[in-house]
Amino acid sequence: MSDTKAFYLTTPIYYVNDAPHIGHAYTTTAGDVLTRWHRQRGERVWFLTGVDEHGQKVMRTAEANDVTPTEWVDRLVGTAWVPVLETIDAANDDFIRTTEVRHKERVQRFLQGLKDKGEIYEGKYDGPYCVACEEFKLPGDLLDGEGDYAGQKVCPVHGRPVEQVSETNWFFRLSAYAEKLLAHYEANPLAVEPQSACNEVTSFLRGGLQDLSISRSSFDWGIPVPWDPSQVVYVWFDALLNYATAVGLGDEPGTPGAEQFASTWPADVHLVGKDILRFHAVIWPAMLMAADLPLPKKVFAHGWLLVGGEKMSKTKLTGIAPSQIIDHFGSDAFRYYFLRSITFGSDGSFSWEDMSARYTSELANGLGNLASRGAAMVGKYCDGVLPEATAYSDAEAALQALLAETVVTADDAILALDFQTGIGAVRQFVDAVNLYVTEQAPWVLAKDEANLARLHTVLYTICESLRAIAVLHHAVMPKATASLWQQLGADIALGRLVDQRVTDAGRWGQLPVGTTVTKGANLFPRLEDPAS
Ligand code: MSP
């Protein structure tokens, strides 16, 4: 295990009451792009995702399907949640299931530790609970139901009636942490982003906190409370701990778990949707404070993918499966589209028309066309051997300067989770190179022997630009860039694409003269209209 701390990024762990939709794939894709980018900066990275298997929501779904919860989660995880990672081309380092022994044991040990410190006491909970959110609600959070639910109080997120819970449970002294959390966020204003999310959390904290019921006694699908097996751990308390149990929380010094924890924790980024911000920015850091553990460096709350102006959701049956889009456009275009077209942190709507239009203009006509023109011309005019650039002019100097600028913009933006600006900068560079090709018109230069040095300079410039584009777009579009890398002969000349540093991508002249360039398959083939 290395001495340097890994850049540690997590996604939420997803409920397995149903199969994934593109809202879930969106978070994992963002995490995958960010971690691939950090890897290409030469950092050690740990990228965790997984599934949340306990709680009433999953238990009731299993009951409704006439199977045990264990059968249900095993089936859904095996047939849907693990395969979707391959569908979207995620390169996660670990996948945690909350039913795993490693998780259960560490949760129980953590809980016992808090109990021994006096952070947990027995009390009575009487109040509303939303099973879809798996959340104890404050009466003020609820809305008056309409239509079928008239006269009932409904959850503002799911629009469904809440249930009244009255149980003797174990409580965590959450109320003791409001001031400490506020002080933490004042001292670390970037610990919750974007700014709107930070404001929401701090204003919520200013209203004070109530202690939290952290166990349930009316059902048994969960982790038993170690000192009171008649209760199971509240599903959010269990789930939040996954971020730490997956990397060895609480293991004996000298064990591999303890070493992993020391070199991974705290998390650098917890990516979450805005609906689960409070759990991550209030309850989770309070749990860590209670255990004297370091707090995550950042919780970033992204927006929702909307359908008809509402959050796409399994409960409302508006979910689109990632494969519906990926079977048609491919995983690269999926990854590119969602991160490039929606500001990370804001809501966005998906439409086939918009996706199709961007695919055609930015990927097929943009990058795809540039790559195939470049390789085809080196084939035609230089027998596929990369020529030397000996006659640089202002046009090339301008492109080289733009590339250097692009690298800085893209790196700054992606490190700040502003994917749209980062990807947009690379796209603008692609446009600039395409314009350069049109203006320099190598097919005209090729007609006159006297222009040979210029022709070679232009062709080298196109291929060297494509080399940089492959490096800078690799985190977003791993498959197409790997194919481009091969077409440029760069795998043989420069080594593996994943090993190329993004921060070094602007250094001009890396692709060696004499490299064999071959025109391969179109990176982004033209597609039929998905509706036809
Ligand atoms: N199991 C909890 C998380 C526990 S983390 C310790 C949970 N699961 S979930 O499956 O309901 O949601 C997981 C994530 O998917 C959340 O971040 C949520 O915001 C995200 N999304 C679910 N629907 C979404 C959209 N329509 N759009 C974007 N993200 C969405 O909550």
Side-chain angles (χ1 to χ4, degrees):
M1 184 90 20
S2 154
D3 289 343
T4 53
K5 186 192 143 351
F7 174 81
Y8 181 29
L9 182 135
T10 67
T11 72
I13 48 171
Y14 305 98
Y15 288 128
V16 292
N17 58 319
D18 207 341
H21 61 60
I22 57 174
H24 309 113
Y26 178 57
T27 323
T28 310
T29 301
D32 191 58
V33 170
L34 188 61
T35 46
R36 283 181 190 259
W37 188 269
H38 278 268
R39 285 195 200 100
Q40 273 190 271
R41 297 181 96 252
E43 296 168 36
R44 200 166 71 79
V45 164
W46 198 252
F47 175 26
L48 174 72
T49 186
V51 282
D52 191 352
E53 303 184 278
H54 292 131
Q56 252 171 319
K57 173 148 96 170
V58 171
M59 190 187 78
R60 286 186 185 171
T61 312
E63 279 167 7
N65 285 276
D66 277 335
V67 291
T68 64
T70 302
E71 281 168 327
W72 178 258
V73 297
D74 284 351
R75 182 195 302 169
L76 258 269
V77 171
T79 59
W81 289 93
V82 169
V84 78
L85 295 170
E86 200 180 322
T87 307
I88 64 172
D89 206 6
N92 51 303
D93 296 292
D94 193 5
F95 181 88
I96 186 159
R97 300 182 55 175
T98 52
T99 49
E100 284 174 77
V101 173
R102 62 168 172 164
H103 176 71
K104 286 190 192 173
E105 284 180 355
R106 289 170 178 149
V107 167
Q108 288 185 322
R109 195 166 54 202
F110 179 88
L111 208 63
Q112 186 68 55
L114 290 195
K115 173 86 171 11
D116 296 346
K117 286 182 79 185
E119 297 281 346
I120 288 176
Y121 65 93
E122 195 171 29
K124 180 115 184 18
Y125 181 79
D126 248 314
Y129 188 84
C130 170
V131 175
C133 295
E134 292 282 16
E135 185 177 13
F136 300 97
K137 298 285 182 184
L138 298 172
D141 291 341
L142 306 177
L143 303 176
D144 289 322
E146 290 171 6
D148 287 352
Y149 304 137
Q152 300 183 61
K153 289 288 180 188
V154 299
C155 161
V157 180
H158 294 92
R160 295 202 169 176
V162 290
E163 298 178 18
Q164 205 56 31
V165 170
S166 179
E167 289 183 20
T168 297
N169 294 150
W170 294 97
F171 281 73
F172 168 52
R173 293 189 196 284
L174 182 63
S175 59
Y177 291 93
E179 289 302 323
K180 289 178 196 154
L181 286 167
L182 266 175
H184 171 68
Y185 291 129
E186 262 155 39
N188 301 280
L190 297 181
V192 176
E193 282 194 306
Q195 184 66 48
S196 54
C198 189
N199 296 345
E200 182 196 319
V201 168
T202 47
S203 77
F204 179 72
L205 285 170
R206 275 190 211 103
L209 295 175
Q210 295 192 350
D211 288 350
L212 177 72
S213 163
I214 55 141
S215 67
R216 300 293 308 275
S217 61
S218 54
F219 61 95
D220 64 358
W221 179 236
I223 301 178
V225 172
W227 62 88
D228 177 5
S230 70
Q231 306 245 350
V232 291
V233 179
Y234 168 46
V235 64
W236 267 101
F237 209 82
D238 157 356
L240 287 163
L241 278 164
N242 92 87
Y243 302 131
T245 62
V247 293
L249 172 73
D251 283 13
E252 285 290 311
T255 59
E259 274 179 43
Q260 189 185 16
F261 196 74
S263 64
T264 313
W265 193 259
D268 291 83
V269 182
H270 289 314
L271 281 187
V272 300
K274 64 182 184 181
D275 47 323
I276 57 171
L277 173 64
R278 283 188 202 170
F279 294 101
H280 286 82
V282 176
I283 298 176
W284 176 226
M287 289 163 65
L288 292 165
M289 279 177 175
D292 296 317
L293 287 167
L295 305 191
K297 293 188 194 153
K298 190 188 297 297
V299 174
F300 194 104
H302 65 68
W304 287 337
L305 300 191
L306 306 175
V307 173
E310 283 191 50
K311 177 179 176 236
M312 177 181 297
S313 98
K314 292 174 287 200
T315 323
K316 291 188 178 157
L317 305 176
T318 51
I320 300 173
S323 58
Q324 280 177 266
I325 297 176
I326 291 175
D327 286 351
H328 184 74
F329 290 103
S331 57
D332 283 339
F334 176 91
R335 297 161 63 95
Y336 177 88
Y337 175 78
F338 282 102
L339 293 182
R340 188 247 174 288
S341 63
I342 301 168
T343 306
F344 203 59
S346 305
D347 293 346
S349 295
F350 165 77
S351 88
W352 287 100
E353 292 73 20
D354 187 38
M355 173 135 196
S356 235
R358 279 196 203 270
Y359 178 91
T360 303
S361 69
E362 298 179 15
L363 296 179
N365 295 347
L367 177 55
N369 190 33
L370 177 65
S372 55
R373 284 206 290 177
M377 288 189 291
V378 175
K380 185 165 173 197
Y381 305 129
C382 303
D383 294 328
V385 179
L386 186 67
E388 190 176 0
T390 53
Y392 281 130
S393 71
D394 288 352
E396 288 79 35
L399 264 193
Q400 292 172 21
L402 179 63
L403 173 62
E405 224 177 274
T406 301
V407 170
V408 175
T409 309
D411 191 43
D412 287 351
I414 292 180
L415 292 187
L417 286 86
D418 179 358
F419 299 103
Q420 202 173 34
T421 303
I423 298 169
V426 184
R427 183 190 60 80
Q428 279 168 13
F429 181 67
V430 172
D431 285 352
V433 184
N434 259 326
L435 183 68
Y436 166 86
V437 177
T438 309
E439 285 174 356
Q440 302 305 318
W443 48 92
V444 176
L445 295 172
K447 288 187 180 144
D448 187 345
E449 270 291 307
N451 294 327
L452 200 62
R454 269 304 291 160
L455 174 67
H456 287 175
T457 301
V458 171
L459 294 182
Y460 183 84
T461 298
I462 298 169
C463 291
E464 175 62 357
S465 298
L466 282 167
R467 189 262 323 143
I469 292 164
V471 174
L472 293 172
H473 261 339
H474 184 57
V476 184
M477 298 186 282
K479 290 193 177 117
T481 50
S483 160
L484 173 57
W485 196 245
Q486 232 175 359
Q487 294 184 30
L488 292 170
D491 49 341
I492 295 163
L494 298 173
R496 298 190 317 164
L497 179 52
V498 285
D499 295 331
Q500 310 299 310
R501 295 278 197 273
V502 281
T503 41
D504 191 38
R507 188 165 51 81
W508 194 259
Q510 294 183 43
L511 200 56
V513 170
T515 300
T516 306
V517 177
T518 34
K519 186 172 169 342
N522 264 355
L523 300 185
F524 301 101
R526 276 168 223 292
L527 299 173
E528 296 297 317
D529 182 346
S532 63

